[in-house]
Amino acid sequence: QVIEPAGYYGVIRKGDAQYVAECANLSVVTQGKTLDETIANLREAVELHLDGENPADFGLVPNPTLLVTFEVENLSRVA
């Protein structure tokens, strides 16, 4: 039995001036001034990218979710 992924995976990291978000399995990249704005922009970019597409064509279940992780600085730089 093959288990299909439930959704798309995005990563957000702090850029020089803004947050940058990407969803590598869809080749979608966006940015925002705040985390909330960046997440909203990523959601919109993914929705636009998939507009009119069948999630099954991407190996996903219908109505997939968007799971986002946040990349933090290397801890050795924090101290």
Side-chain angles (χ1 to χ4, degrees):
Q1 176 181 350
V2 176
I3 298 174
E4 296 183 47
Y8 305 98
Y9 301 97
V11 176
I12 297 175
R13 66 182 182 282
K14 182 77 170 123
D16 292 333
Q18 295 189 348
Y19 292 97
V20 177
E22 61 182 308
C23 188
N25 56 335
L26 291 178
S27 300
V28 171
V29 178
T30 189
Q31 61 187 14
K33 293 178 184 177
T34 66
L35 284 174
D36 287 340
E37 179 183 24
T38 306
I39 291 168
N41 290 347
L42 182 59
R43 180 188 301 266
E44 180 182 24
V46 168
E47 288 173 354
L48 290 171
H49 184 80
L50 296 175
D51 188 38
E53 299 290 339
N54 181 355
D57 293 341
F58 295 89
L60 297 162
V61 298
N63 301 313
T65 59
L66 176 60
L67 175 66
V68 178
T69 59
F70 183 71
E71 184 178 295
V72 296
E73 288 184 33
N74 185 327
L75 294 178
S76 64
R77 289 195 219 161
V78 176

Coordinates of all heavy atoms in Angstrom, one line a residue:
Q1 N 0.8 -1.2 0.0 CA 0.0 0.0 0.0 C 0.9 1.2 0.0 O 1.8 1.4 0.8 CB -0.9 0.0 1.2 CG -1.7 1.2 1.3 CD -2.6 1.2 2.6 OE1 -2.7 0.2 3.3 NE2 -3.2 2.3 2.9
V2 N 0.6 2.2 -0.9 CA 1.4 3.4 -1.0 C 0.6 4.5 -0.2 O -0.6 4.7 -0.4 CB 1.5 3.8 -2.5 CG1 2.2 5.2 -2.6 CG2 2.3 2.8 -3.3
I3 N 1.3 5.2 0.6 CA 0.7 6.3 1.4 C 1.1 7.6 0.7 O 2.3 7.9 0.5 CB 1.3 6.3 2.8 CG1 0.9 5.0 3.5 CG2 0.7 7.6 3.6 CD1 1.4 4.9 4.9
E4 N 0.1 8.3 0.3 CA 0.3 9.6 -0.5 C 0.6 10.7 0.5 O 0.0 10.7 1.6 CB -0.9 9.9 -1.3 CG -1.2 9.0 -2.4 CD -2.4 9.4 -3.2 OE1 -2.4 10.6 -3.6 OE2 -3.3 8.6 -3.5
P5 N 1.5 11.6 0.2 CA 1.7 12.8 1.1 C 0.4 13.6 1.3 O -0.4 13.7 0.4 CB 2.7 13.6 0.3 CG 3.3 12.7 -0.7 CD 2.3 11.7 -1.0
A6 N 0.2 14.1 2.5 CA -1.0 14.8 2.8 C -0.9 16.3 2.3 O -1.9 16.9 2.2 CB -1.2 14.8 4.3
G7 N 0.3 16.8 2.0 CA 0.3 18.1 1.5 C 1.7 18.6 1.0 O 2.6 17.7 0.7
Y8 N 1.8 19.8 0.9 CA 3.1 20.5 0.4 C 3.9 20.9 1.6 O 3.3 21.3 2.7 CB 2.7 21.7 -0.4 CG 1.8 21.3 -1.6 CD1 0.4 21.5 -1.5 CD2 2.3 20.7 -2.7 CE1 -0.4 21.1 -2.5 CE2 1.5 20.3 -3.7 CZ 0.1 20.5 -3.6 OH -0.7 20.1 -4.6
Y9 N 5.2 21.0 1.4 CA 6.1 21.4 2.5 C 6.8 22.7 2.2 O 7.5 22.8 1.1 CB 7.1 20.3 2.8 CG 6.3 19.0 3.2 CD1 6.1 18.0 2.2 CD2 5.8 18.8 4.5 CE1 5.4 16.9 2.6 CE2 5.1 17.7 4.8 CZ 4.9 16.7 3.8 OH 4.2 15.6 4.2
G10 N 6.7 23.7 3.0 CA 7.4 24.9 2.8 C 8.4 25.2 3.9 O 8.3 24.7 5.0
V11 N 9.4 26.0 3.6 CA 10.4 26.4 4.6 C 10.5 27.9 4.6 O 10.5 28.5 3.5 CB 11.8 25.8 4.2 CG1 12.9 26.3 5.2 CG2 11.7 24.3 4.3
I12 N 10.5 28.5 5.7 CA 10.7 30.0 5.9 C 12.0 30.3 6.6 O 12.4 29.6 7.5 CB 9.6 30.6 6.7 CG1 8.2 30.4 6.0 CG2 9.8 32.1 6.9 CD1 7.0 30.9 6.7
R13 N 12.8 31.2 6.0 CA 14.0 31.6 6.7 C 14.1 33.1 6.6 O 13.5 33.8 5.8 CB 15.2 31.0 6.0 CG 15.5 31.4 4.6 CD 16.7 30.7 3.9 NE 16.9 31.2 2.6 CZ 16.2 30.9 1.5 NH1 15.2 30.0 1.6 NH2 16.5 31.4 0.4
K14 N 14.9 33.7 7.5 CA 15.1 35.1 7.6 C 16.1 35.5 6.6 O 17.2 35.1 6.6 CB 15.5 35.5 9.0 CG 15.7 37.0 9.2 CD 14.4 37.7 9.4 CE 14.6 39.1 9.9 NZ 14.0 40.1 9.0
G15 N 15.7 36.4 5.7 CA 16.6 37.0 4.7 C 17.3 38.2 5.3 O 17.1 38.6 6.5
D16 N 18.0 38.9 4.5 CA 18.7 40.2 4.9 C 17.6 41.2 5.3 O 17.8 41.9 6.3 CB 19.6 40.7 3.8 CG 20.8 39.8 3.6 OD1 21.2 39.1 4.5 OD2 21.3 39.9 2.5
A17 N 16.6 41.4 4.5 CA 15.6 42.4 4.8 C 14.2 41.9 5.1 O 13.4 42.6 5.7 CB 15.5 43.4 3.6
Q18 N 13.9 40.7 4.6 CA 12.6 40.1 4.7 C 12.7 38.6 5.0 O 13.8 38.0 4.8 CB 11.7 40.4 3.5 CG 11.4 41.8 3.2 CD 10.4 42.0 2.1 OE1 10.1 41.0 1.3 NE2 9.9 43.2 1.9
Y19 N 11.6 38.0 5.3 CA 11.5 36.6 5.4 C 11.3 36.0 4.0 O 10.6 36.6 3.2 CB 10.3 36.1 6.3 CG 10.5 36.5 7.7 CD1 9.9 37.6 8.2 CD2 11.2 35.7 8.6 CE1 10.1 37.9 9.6 CE2 11.4 36.0 9.9 CZ 10.8 37.1 10.4 OH 11.0 37.4 11.7
V20 N 11.9 34.9 3.7 CA 11.8 34.2 2.4 C 11.2 32.8 2.6 O 11.6 32.1 3.6 CB 13.2 34.1 1.8 CG1 13.1 33.3 0.4 CG2 13.8 35.4 1.6
A21 N 10.2 32.5 1.8 CA 9.5 31.2 1.9 C 9.6 30.5 0.6 O 9.5 31.1 -0.4 CB 8.1 31.4 2.3
E22 N 9.8 29.2 0.7 CA 9.8 28.4 -0.5 C 9.2 27.0 -0.3 O 9.2 26.5 0.8 CB 11.2 28.2 -1.1 CG 12.2 27.5 -0.2 CD 13.6 27.4 -0.8 OE1 13.7 27.0 -2.0 OE2 14.5 27.8 -0.1
C23 N 8.6 26.6 -1.4 CA 7.9 25.3 -1.4 C 8.6 24.5 -2.5 O 8.2 24.7 -3.7 CB 6.4 25.4 -1.7 SG 5.5 23.9 -1.5
A24 N 9.7 23.9 -2.2 CA 10.6 23.3 -3.2 C 9.9 22.3 -4.1 O 10.2 22.2 -5.3 CB 11.8 22.7 -2.5
N25 N 9.0 21.5 -3.6 CA 8.4 20.4 -4.4 C 7.4 21.0 -5.5 O 7.0 20.3 -6.3 CB 7.7 19.3 -3.6 CG 6.7 19.9 -2.6 OD1 6.7 21.0 -2.2 ND2 5.7 19.0 -2.3
L26 N 7.2 22.4 -5.4 CA 6.4 23.0 -6.4 C 7.1 24.2 -7.1 O 6.6 24.9 -7.9 CB 5.1 23.6 -5.7 CG 4.1 22.7 -5.2 CD1 2.9 23.4 -4.6 CD2 3.6 21.8 -6.4
S27 N 8.4 24.4 -6.7 CA 9.2 25.5 -7.3 C 8.5 26.8 -7.1 O 8.4 27.6 -8.0 CB 9.4 25.3 -8.8 OG 10.1 24.1 -9.0
V28 N 8.0 27.1 -5.9 CA 7.3 28.3 -5.5 C 8.2 29.0 -4.5 O 8.6 28.4 -3.5 CB 5.9 28.0 -4.9 CG1 5.3 29.3 -4.3 CG2 5.0 27.5 -6.0
V29 N 8.5 30.3 -4.7 CA 9.2 31.1 -3.8 C 8.5 32.5 -3.6 O 8.0 33.0 -4.6 CB 10.7 31.4 -4.3 CG1 11.4 32.3 -3.3 CG2 11.4 30.1 -4.5
T30 N 8.5 33.0 -2.3 CA 7.9 34.3 -2.1 C 8.6 34.9 -0.9 O 9.5 34.3 -0.3 CB 6.3 34.1 -1.9 OG1 5.8 35.4 -1.8 CG2 6.0 33.4 -0.6
Q31 N 8.1 36.1 -0.5 CA 8.7 36.8 0.7 C 7.7 37.6 1.4 O 6.6 37.8 0.9 CB 9.9 37.6 0.2 CG 9.6 38.7 -0.7 CD 10.8 39.4 -1.3 OE1 11.9 38.9 -1.1 NE2 10.6 40.5 -1.9
G32 N 8.1 38.1 2.5 CA 7.2 39.0 3.3 C 7.9 39.7 4.4 O 9.0 39.3 4.8
K33 N 7.4 40.8 4.9 CA 8.0 41.6 5.9 C 7.9 41.0 7.3 O 8.7 41.1 8.2 CB 7.5 43.0 6.0 CG 7.8 43.8 4.7 CD 7.2 45.2 4.8 CE 7.5 46.0 3.5 NZ 6.9 47.3 3.5
T34 N 6.8 40.2 7.5 CA 6.5 39.6 8.8 C 6.3 38.1 8.5 O 6.0 37.7 7.3 CB 5.3 40.1 9.5 OG1 4.1 39.8 8.7 CG2 5.4 41.6 9.7
L35 N 6.3 37.3 9.6 CA 6.0 35.8 9.4 C 4.6 35.6 8.9 O 4.4 34.8 8.0 CB 6.2 35.1 10.7 CG 7.7 34.8 11.1 CD1 7.8 34.2 12.5 CD2 8.4 33.9 10.1
D36 N 3.6 36.4 9.5 CA 2.2 36.2 9.0 C 2.1 36.6 7.5 O 1.4 35.9 6.8 CB 1.3 37.1 9.9 CG 1.1 36.6 11.3 OD1 1.4 35.4 11.5 OD2 0.7 37.4 12.2
E37 N 2.7 37.7 7.1 CA 2.6 38.1 5.7 C 3.3 37.0 4.8 O 2.8 36.7 3.8 CB 3.3 39.4 5.5 CG 3.2 39.9 4.1 CD 4.0 41.2 3.9 OE1 4.9 41.6 4.7 OE2 3.6 41.9 2.9
T38 N 4.4 36.5 5.3 CA 5.1 35.5 4.5 C 4.3 34.2 4.3 O 4.2 33.7 3.2 CB 6.5 35.2 5.1 OG1 7.2 36.4 5.3 CG2 7.3 34.3 4.2
I39 N 3.7 33.8 5.4 CA 2.8 32.6 5.3 C 1.6 32.8 4.4 O 1.3 32.0 3.6 CB 2.4 32.2 6.7 CG1 3.6 31.7 7.5 CG2 1.3 31.1 6.6 CD1 3.3 31.5 9.0
A40 N 1.0 34.0 4.5 CA -0.1 34.3 3.6 C 0.3 34.4 2.2 O -0.4 33.9 1.3 CB -0.7 35.7 4.0
N41 N 1.5 35.0 1.9 CA 2.0 35.0 0.6 C 2.3 33.6 0.0 O 2.1 33.4 -1.2 CB 3.3 35.9 0.5 CG 3.0 37.4 0.7 OD1 1.8 37.8 0.7 ND2 4.0 38.2 1.0
L42 N 2.9 32.8 0.9 CA 3.2 31.4 0.4 C 1.9 30.6 0.1 O 1.8 30.0 -0.9 CB 4.0 30.7 1.5 CG 4.4 29.2 1.1 CD1 5.3 29.2 -0.1 CD2 5.2 28.6 2.3
R43 N 0.9 30.8 1.0 CA -0.4 30.1 0.7 C -1.0 30.6 -0.6 O -1.4 29.8 -1.5 CB -1.4 30.4 1.8 CG -2.7 29.8 1.6 CD -3.7 30.3 2.6 NE -3.3 30.0 4.0 CZ -3.7 28.9 4.7 NH1 -4.5 28.0 4.1 NH2 -3.3 28.8 5.9
E44 N -0.9 31.9 -0.9 CA -1.5 32.5 -2.1 C -0.7 32.0 -3.3 O -1.2 31.6 -4.4 CB -1.4 34.0 -2.1 CG -2.0 34.6 -3.3 CD -1.9 36.1 -3.3 OE1 -1.1 36.7 -2.6 OE2 -2.7 36.7 -4.1
A45 N 0.7 31.9 -3.2 CA 1.5 31.5 -4.3 C 1.3 30.0 -4.7 O 1.2 29.7 -5.8 CB 3.0 31.7 -3.9
V46 N 1.1 29.2 -3.6 CA 0.8 27.8 -3.9 C -0.6 27.6 -4.5 O -0.7 26.9 -5.5 CB 0.9 27.0 -2.6 CG1 0.3 25.6 -2.7 CG2 2.4 26.9 -2.1
E47 N -1.6 28.4 -4.0 CA -2.9 28.3 -4.6 C -2.9 28.7 -6.1 O -3.5 28.1 -6.9 CB -3.9 29.2 -3.8 CG -4.2 28.6 -2.5 CD -5.1 29.5 -1.6 OE1 -5.3 30.7 -2.0 OE2 -5.5 29.0 -0.5
L48 N -2.1 29.8 -6.4 CA -2.1 30.3 -7.8 C -1.3 29.3 -8.6 O -1.7 29.0 -9.8 CB -1.4 31.6 -7.8 CG -2.2 32.8 -7.3 CD1 -1.3 34.1 -7.2 CD2 -3.4 33.1 -8.1
H49 N -0.3 28.7 -8.1 CA 0.5 27.7 -8.9 C -0.4 26.5 -9.2 O -0.2 25.9 -10.3 CB 1.7 27.3 -8.0 CG 2.6 26.3 -8.8 ND1 3.5 26.8 -9.7 CD2 2.7 25.0 -8.7 CE1 4.2 25.7 -10.2 NE2 3.8 24.6 -9.6
L50 N -1.3 26.1 -8.3 CA -2.1 24.9 -8.5 C -3.5 25.2 -9.1 O -4.2 24.2 -9.3 CB -2.3 24.2 -7.1 CG -1.0 23.7 -6.5 CD1 -1.3 23.1 -5.1 CD2 -0.4 22.6 -7.4
D51 N -3.8 26.4 -9.4 CA -5.1 26.8 -9.9 C -5.4 26.0 -11.2 O -4.6 26.0 -12.1 CB -5.1 28.3 -10.2 CG -6.5 28.7 -10.6 OD1 -7.5 28.2 -10.0 OD2 -6.6 29.6 -11.4
G52 N -6.4 25.2 -11.1 CA -6.8 24.4 -12.3 C -6.1 23.1 -12.4 O -6.3 22.3 -13.3
E53 N -5.2 22.8 -11.5 CA -4.4 21.6 -11.5 C -5.1 20.5 -10.6 O -5.8 20.8 -9.7 CB -3.0 21.8 -11.0 CG -2.2 22.8 -11.8 CD -1.8 22.3 -13.2 OE1 -1.8 21.0 -13.4 OE2 -1.5 23.1 -14.1
N54 N -4.8 19.3 -10.9 CA -5.2 18.1 -10.1 C -4.1 17.7 -9.1 O -3.0 17.4 -9.6 CB -5.6 17.0 -11.0 CG -6.1 15.8 -10.3 OD1 -6.1 15.7 -9.0 ND2 -6.5 14.7 -11.0
P55 N -4.4 17.8 -7.8 CA -3.3 17.4 -6.8 C -2.7 16.0 -7.1 O -1.5 15.8 -6.8 CB -4.0 17.5 -5.5 CG -5.1 18.5 -5.7 CD -5.6 18.3 -7.1
A56 N -3.5 15.1 -7.6 CA -3.0 13.8 -7.9 C -1.9 13.8 -8.9 O -1.0 12.9 -8.9 CB -4.2 12.9 -8.4
D57 N -1.9 14.8 -9.8 CA -0.8 14.9 -10.8 C 0.5 15.2 -10.1 O 1.6 15.0 -10.7 CB -1.1 16.0 -11.8 CG -2.3 15.7 -12.7 OD1 -2.6 14.5 -12.8 OD2 -2.8 16.6 -13.3
F58 N 0.5 15.7 -8.9 CA 1.7 16.0 -8.1 C 1.9 14.9 -7.0 O 2.7 15.1 -6.2 CB 1.6 17.4 -7.4 CG 1.5 18.5 -8.4 CD1 0.3 19.0 -8.9 CD2 2.6 19.1 -8.8 CE1 0.2 20.0 -9.8 CE2 2.6 20.2 -9.7 CZ 1.4 20.6 -10.2
G59 N 1.1 13.8 -7.1 CA 1.3 12.7 -6.2 C 0.7 13.0 -4.8 O 1.1 12.5 -3.8
L60 N -0.3 13.9 -4.8 CA -0.9 14.3 -3.5 C -2.4 14.0 -3.4 O -3.1 13.7 -4.4 CB -0.8 15.9 -3.3 CG 0.7 16.3 -3.2 CD1 0.8 17.8 -3.5 CD2 1.3 16.0 -1.9
V61 N -2.9 14.0 -2.2 CA -4.3 13.7 -1.9 C -5.1 15.0 -2.3 O -4.6 16.1 -2.4 CB -4.6 13.3 -0.5 CG1 -3.8 12.1 -0.1 CG2 -4.2 14.5 0.5
P62 N -6.4 14.8 -2.5 CA -7.3 16.0 -2.8 C -7.3 16.9 -1.5 O -7.1 16.5 -0.4 CB -8.7 15.4 -2.9 CG -8.4 13.9 -3.3 CD -7.2 13.5 -2.6
N63 N -7.4 18.2 -1.8 CA -7.4 19.2 -0.7 C -6.2 19.1 0.2 O -6.3 18.9 1.4 CB -8.7 19.1 0.1 CG -9.9 19.3 -0.8 OD1 -9.9 20.2 -1.6 ND2 -10.9 18.5 -0.6
P64 N -5.0 19.1 -0.4 CA -3.8 18.9 0.4 C -3.5 20.1 1.4 O -4.1 21.2 1.2 CB -2.6 18.9 -0.6 CG -3.2 19.6 -1.8 CD -4.7 19.4 -1.8
T65 N -2.8 19.9 2.4 CA -2.4 20.9 3.4 C -1.1 21.5 3.1 O -0.4 21.0 2.2 CB -2.3 20.3 4.8 OG1 -1.4 19.3 4.8 CG2 -3.7 19.8 5.3
L66 N -0.7 22.6 3.7 CA 0.6 23.2 3.5 C 1.2 23.2 4.9 O 0.8 23.9 5.8 CB 0.4 24.7 3.0 CG 1.7 25.5 2.9 CD1 2.6 24.9 1.9 CD2 1.3 26.9 2.4
L67 N 2.3 22.5 5.0 CA 3.1 22.4 6.3 C 4.3 23.3 6.1 O 5.1 23.1 5.2 CB 3.5 20.9 6.5 CG 4.4 20.7 7.7 CD1 3.6 21.0 9.0 CD2 4.9 19.3 7.8
V68 N 4.5 24.2 7.1 CA 5.6 25.2 7.0 C 6.5 25.0 8.2 O 6.0 24.9 9.3 CB 5.1 26.6 6.9 CG1 6.2 27.6 6.8 CG2 4.1 26.8 5.7
T69 N 7.8 25.0 7.9 CA 8.8 25.0 9.0 C 9.6 26.3 8.9 O 9.6 26.9 7.9 CB 9.8 23.8 8.9 OG1 10.4 23.8 7.7 CG2 9.0 22.5 9.1
F70 N 10.2 26.6 10.1 CA 11.0 27.9 10.1 C 12.4 27.5 10.4 O 12.7 26.8 11.4 CB 10.4 28.8 11.2 CG 11.1 30.1 11.3 CD1 10.9 31.1 10.3 CD2 11.9 30.4 12.4 CE1 11.6 32.3 10.4 CE2 12.6 31.6 12.5 CZ 12.4 32.6 11.5
E71 N 13.3 28.0 9.6 CA 14.7 27.8 9.8 C 15.3 28.9 10.7 O 15.1 30.1 10.4 CB 15.4 27.9 8.4 CG 16.9 27.5 8.4 CD 17.5 27.6 7.0 OE1 17.1 26.8 6.2 OE2 18.3 28.5 6.7
V72 N 16.0 28.5 11.8 CA 16.6 29.4 12.7 C 18.1 29.5 12.5 O 18.7 28.6 11.9 CB 16.3 29.1 14.2 CG1 14.8 29.1 14.5 CG2 16.8 27.7 14.5
E73 N 18.7 30.6 13.0 CA 20.1 30.8 12.9 C 20.9 29.7 13.5 O 20.4 29.0 14.5 CB 20.5 32.1 13.5 CG 20.1 33.3 12.8 CD 20.7 34.6 13.5 OE1 21.8 34.5 14.1 OE2 20.0 35.6 13.5
N74 N 22.1 29.5 13.1 CA 23.0 28.6 13.7 C 23.2 29.0 15.2 O 23.4 30.2 15.4 CB 24.3 28.6 13.0 CG 25.3 27.5 13.5 OD1 25.3 27.2 14.7 ND2 26.1 27.0 12.6
L75 N 23.0 28.1 16.1 CA 23.0 28.5 17.5 C 24.4 29.0 18.0 O 24.5 29.8 18.9 CB 22.6 27.3 18.4 CG 21.2 26.8 18.2 CD1 20.9 25.6 19.1 CD2 20.2 28.0 18.6
S76 N 25.4 28.7 17.3 CA 26.8 29.2 17.7 C 26.9 30.7 17.4 O 27.7 31.4 18.0 CB 27.9 28.5 16.9 OG 27.8 28.7 15.5
R77 N 26.0 31.3 16.6 CA 26.0 32.7 16.3 C 25.2 33.5 17.3 O 25.3 34.7 17.4 CB 25.4 33.0 14.9 CG 26.3 32.6 13.8 CD 25.8 33.3 12.6 NE 25.8 32.4 11.4 CZ 25.1 32.5 10.3 NH1 24.3 33.5 10.2 NH2 25.3 31.7 9.3
V78 N 24.3 32.8 18.0 CA 23.3 33.5 18.9 C 24.0 34.0 20.2 O 23.7 35.1 20.6 CB 22.2 32.5 19.3 CG1 21.3 33.2 20.3 CG2 21.4 32.1 18.0
A79 N 25.0 33.3 20.7 CA 25.6 33.7 22.0 C 26.4 34.9 21.8 O 26.5 35.9 21.9 CB 26.5 32.6 22.5

